[in-house]
Amino acid sequence: MLELRNVDTYYGNIQALDGVSLTVGEGEIICLIGANGAGKSTTLMSISGIVPPRNGEIRFEGVDITHLDPDRIFAMGIAQVPEGRRIFPYLTVQENLDMGALLRKDGDGVRADLDYIFDLFPILKERRRQPGGTLSGGEQQMLAISRALMARPRLLLLDEPSLGLAPLLVQTIFEVIGQINRENETTIFLVEQNANMALKVAGRGYVMETGRITLADTTEKLLENENVRRAYLGV
Ligand code: ATP
């Protein structure tokens, strides 16, 4: 579904990605783990067109999207949930969700997806008339994920969805990630510092260090890997 081939991405003179190659197959949950500053967010922003690569190629369903604008890439079915849950604080929960569905013309589908989201996160239904900014951190993360889902993406890019959440909420968010993938036929590319949770929900994973992919394997194998255990799982 998605393929990155030898992607180099820069911020001015600073090289953030160095020859990154990876694949995401339809229906998979793939995780990308790595330390602070390794280049995980940059990988997502290169895919979504926010920080386009300088070299290399990114293909989505066979189409070269390397140099397309972010709005074109979004319209093709790739939605990103950025780090830090950037919702619209002054819009209500309902209005935030409506923004996600802005490009859609299938009213029945939008209503069905709204019902689905309110089933996933009943708290959002309760709070649907409240401004997004009045929600707790965990609720804002639920809203950020839900807003992306309202676009009915085929590929969902999640940037550190568990960051700053209480352990119980982290659990909920990861359960929902699995559920969205199974029930909603949404392929998921997940960036996480919480390697333990990410490796449990994903089927395959990549490890990134200073802009390069250093390991790629099934999550089962990565969970057994001594280096991964020492560096990212703290065991
Ligand atoms: P984190 O978990 O902290 O978000 P990350 O793995 O997602 O880390 P990136 O945010 O992709 O890492 O950063 C990769 C590198 O690019 C780092 O060295 C970072 O300092 C640099 N970088 C990121 N954003 C910018 C920017 N806007 N301008 C200059 N350098 C940047």
Side-chain angles (χ1 to χ4, degrees), residues 11 14 16 34-43 83 159-160 191 193:
Y11 296 99
I14 301 165
N36 247 330
K40 305 182 300 298
S41 299
T42 306
T43 304
E83 190 178 325
D159 196 350
E160 306 249 12
V191 157
Q193 278 197 53

Side-chain angles (χ1 to χ4, degrees), residues 171-191:
Q171 188 77 33
T172 306
I173 292 287
F174 277 100
E175 276 166 20
V176 167
I177 290 169
Q179 205 177 337
I180 292 165
N181 173 254
R182 282 192 308 275
E183 296 172 353
N184 221 24
E185 292 173 3
T186 309
T187 305
I188 294 176
F189 188 59
L190 169 69
V191 157

Side-chain angles (χ1 to χ4, degrees), residues 85-129:
R85 22 189 130 100
R86 276 174 237 139
I87 52 136
F88 301 110
Y90 300 111
L91 299 185
T92 65
V93 167
Q94 182 68 56
E95 287 164 343
N96 268 277
L97 294 171
D98 293 344
M99 294 293 279
L102 218 54
L103 294 183
R104 292 179 64 179
K105 297 185 172 58
D106 58 326
D108 289 346
V110 171
R111 275 184 290 279
D113 285 345
L114 194 61
D115 287 343
Y116 177 74
I117 280 162
F118 286 155
D119 274 349
L120 280 181
F121 299 119
I123 192 77
L124 294 182
K125 187 174 189 180
E126 270 174 47
R127 303 206 189 286
R128 67 185 183 281
R129 296 189 205 295

